[in-house]
Amino acid sequence: MKRITIEPISRIEGHGKITIHLNEDGKVAGTEFHVTQILGFEKFTEGRPFYEMPGITARICGICPLSHLLASSKACDAIMAVNISPAARKLRELIHCAQIIQSHALSFFYLSAPDLLLGMDSDPATRNVIGVIAQHPEMARDGIDLRKFGLHIVERLAQERVHPAWIVPGGVASPMPVQVRDHILAELPSAKAIADRTIRFFKGALDNYKDEIACFGSFPSMYAGLVDAKGNLALYDGNLRFRAATGEIVQDQISGADYKRWIGEASLRESYLKAPYFVPQGFPDGVYRVGPLGRLNVATACGTPDADAELLEFHEPFGAVAHSAFLYHYARLIEIVYALEKIEALLNDPAILSTQVRANAGVNCLEGVGMVEAPRGTLIHHYKVNPEGAITWANLIVATGHNNLAIGRSVQQVSEKYIDGTKLNEGMLNHVSAVVRAYDPCLSCSTHADGSVALKIELRDAEGTLLDSVEN
């Protein structure tokens, strides 16, 4: 049996590898998606005071540390048995929406736009963010400005863009000054205009990607995401809903404290990344997907007018449950529209300026779970402590983990479509890598890529003899 190895996958956060096994006729016999790093945060946090966990676990991720700060702080809120103030909840949601915007902008404009704008088979020497700047300067500028808008909100609220210490157990560290609110409101129209231009561009270009829509992880699966009591999209505070591939709600309003009844975790031989699954269906049949596409598939509505209009238009061609992983790009743009509308609503609520933003307490429960929607999907932090408040056990289910099994299936599907084992070309490599990028996986978020990472794909026979290779 022949084997193709793609290592590393380009334009993702972290390092991954793909192995494609071919039969004697050069057809795809099987694929494996490998995550080759291990961080070990769950183990080395044991013994630390619970109130240090937000700051420690935020270091898992350099792109979306706020997700870990929020999930961790919510777990600590549960250990303290406190209800945070309305103003603190609004401020947490505000900074979370800002993070969603900057992260989705990074994914769409920086990591995926080279494929979407320059072509999957374009020259790899220019198929990167530098090439986008050269050939599509207006869109490149929009991407920079939209990400900057989100990051500026984070910086103005928390005084730091990365790893801020502002989100804390019991709420947030300080209230929002009125001038910060006014600055953000003044910048909102420009950000909304960028979001509108970008989503109109993407909808107009969808006909160019019919093949990708048809084969990029286009298979029926379950979906999961947080919703509020009405079933609307809830990024910060909601309960978990599972929807079947055919549209039925399988399970609804699962609280964070109850997640283990419904989510199991398996270990894979080929990867350090755990493989969560839906417990009633067992492993490996209980595959489900999370993230922007998962959230839009499970939500009854977004809950804001412009995003709801976009969601209705999204479902018209792709059905009540859209299955193509290529549509994660579309879903991210709709979520940007939603987050901008949510920011405006939060800022126009006078209660957000209250100075009552932090509750103080000690250990009142020996266990706590925090659950939020990170940009890439549902994030769960689960802690156990001793009576003195030291961590005795921790479990984290990161967003990309939920998608692990689905990413593997998507790699298999795209490989079967594009891989010709008799002769390699760089375009086939990029199609397989691009389906992974569609999920925007965060394998090790402290790693940054600009598209210039060297790639190599090799074709070897069963004895290991090199038959062909492509590099960029």
Side-chain angles (χ1 to χ4, degrees):
M1 181 176 289
K2 301 174 183 178
R3 182 176 65 191
I4 296 173
T5 301
I6 303 173
E7 183 181 17
I9 307 164
S10 66
R11 282 183 274 123
I12 61 172
E13 285 109 41
H15 296 283
K17 181 174 76 171
I18 293 170
T19 301
I20 304 170
H21 301 279
L22 306 175
N23 61 24
E24 295 304 319
D25 298 324
K27 303 298 183 183
V28 174
T31 61
E32 292 174 331
F33 171 61
H34 313 269
V35 177
T36 57
Q37 300 163 311
I38 185 168
L39 297 178
F41 274 73
E42 293 158 318
K43 193 64 180 174
F44 69 65
T45 58
E46 291 179 7
R48 304 306 305 171
F50 77 92
Y51 51 79
E52 290 185 355
M53 292 298 283
I56 292 173
T57 58
R59 268 64 185 178
I60 293 170
C61 175
I63 300 299
C64 50
L66 290 169
S67 297
H68 290 286
L69 281 166
L70 289 166
S72 182
S73 292
K74 289 179 77 173
C76 294
D77 296 342
I79 289 170
M80 295 161 59
V82 297
N83 289 318
I84 68 172
S85 72
R89 181 171 283 104
K90 293 177 190 298
L91 288 168
R92 282 184 178 182
E93 186 171 11
L94 174 64
I95 202 168
H96 190 34
C97 287
Q99 178 203 215
I100 292 286
I101 291 167
Q102 72 86 13
S103 181
H104 283 356
L106 172 66
S107 175
F108 184 84
F109 290 98
Y110 292 68
L111 305 183
S112 294
D115 297 327
L116 303 175
L117 296 176
L118 308 179
M120 296 281 181
D121 299 313
S122 59
D123 183 356
T126 57
R127 193 182 60 231
N128 49 49
V129 68
I130 306 302
V132 172
I133 291 171
Q135 298 189 39
H136 300 273
E138 298 86 0
M139 183 162 284
R141 171 55 63 183
D142 277 351
I144 292 168
D145 289 344
L146 189 59
R147 186 160 190 248
K148 183 168 66 175
F149 171 79
L151 288 171
H152 277 181
I153 294 177
V154 174
E155 186 174 31
R156 285 168 176 156
L157 287 174
Q159 289 76 58
E160 294 178 87
R161 292 189 182 186
V162 181
H163 304 316
W166 184 70
I167 302 167
V168 294
V172 296
S174 60
M176 179 174 65
V178 65
Q179 60 267 31
V180 169
R181 181 199 63 182
D182 294 343
H183 276 303
I184 300 170
L185 283 171
E187 293 172 352
L188 259 172
S190 177
K192 283 187 168 185
I194 293 172
D196 180 64
R197 283 196 296 272
T198 306
I199 201 166
R200 283 192 286 110
F201 155 78
F202 190 79
K203 289 186 293 188
L206 279 173
D207 284 346
N208 299 330
Y209 309 116
K210 289 181 178 179
D211 286 347
E212 287 79 8
I213 292 171
C215 75
F216 268 38
S218 187
F219 56 84
S221 72
M222 296 178 62
Y223 296 88
L226 300 189
V227 295
D228 64 16
K230 296 179 180 179
N232 292 340
L233 177 64
L235 297 176
Y236 168 71
D237 218 1
N239 288 321
L240 194 60
R241 169 183 283 180
F242 282 89
R243 191 184 290 276
T246 50
E248 298 88 355
I249 296 174
V250 177
Q251 194 63 42
D252 203 8
Q253 297 300 322
I254 301 169
S255 68
D258 207 27
Y259 81 93
K260 293 192 76 172
R261 286 185 57 196
W262 307 101
I263 298 175
E265 299 176 81
S267 296
L268 302 179
R269 176 187 59 81
E270 68 272 14
S271 179
Y272 284 119
L273 184 62
K274 295 182 289 188
Y277 59 92
F278 186 59
V279 168
Q281 293 186 4
F283 175 80
D285 295 331
V287 177
Y288 61 93
R289 289 187 258 190
V290 301
L293 183 63
R295 291 189 286 258
L296 296 190
N297 276 335
V298 303
T300 304
C302 291
T304 60
D306 290 346
D308 281 342
E310 293 292 350
L311 183 60
L312 286 174
E313 188 175 347
F314 170 80
H315 283 306
E316 283 178 7
F318 302 114
V321 181
H323 291 304
S324 174
F326 186 83
L327 298 175
Y328 269 93
H329 302 305
Y330 194 167
R332 283 186 194 96
L333 298 178
I334 295 174
E335 286 197 335
I336 289 174
V337 172
Y338 166 80
L340 289 167
E341 290 184 288
K342 197 70 177 177
I343 286 172
E344 185 171 30
L346 288 165
L347 291 173
N348 284 320
D349 184 343
I352 202 169
L353 294 174
S354 169
T355 58
Q356 302 299 317
V357 295
R358 186 171 186 178
N360 293 295
V363 176
N364 291 302
C365 294
L366 299 181
E367 189 170 359
V369 177
M371 184 167 63
V372 300
E373 284 293 338
R376 291 153 188 85
T378 311
L379 173 65
I380 300 170
H381 281 226
H382 184 185
Y383 308 151
K384 295 180 182 179
V385 300
N386 64 20
E388 289 71 43
I391 297 291
T392 60
W393 177 89
N395 184 44
L396 278 61
I397 304 181
V398 298
T400 297
H402 296 283
N403 284 333
N404 194 5
L405 294 174
I407 293 173
R409 289 193 181 185
S410 301
V411 168
Q412 173 88 18
Q413 186 181 53
V414 174
S415 298
E416 290 174 350
K417 168 73 174 179
Y418 289 101
I419 294 296
D420 177 1
T422 61
K423 180 63 179 176
L424 301 183
N425 63 74
E426 203 284 329
M428 76 169 62
L429 159 68
N430 192 47
H431 276 87
V432 177
S433 298
V435 75
V436 179
R437 283 194 290 272
Y439 288 90
D440 190 24
C442 190
L443 308 183
S444 174
C445 289
S446 59
T447 299
H448 303 272
D450 65 0
S452 62
V453 179
L455 294 178
K456 185 175 183 180
I457 180 169
E458 296 181 344
L459 176 62
R460 296 178 180 271
D461 63 20
E463 286 71 42
T465 304
L466 181 64
L467 303 178
D468 197 2
S469 68
V470 178
E471 296 185 50
N472 73 356

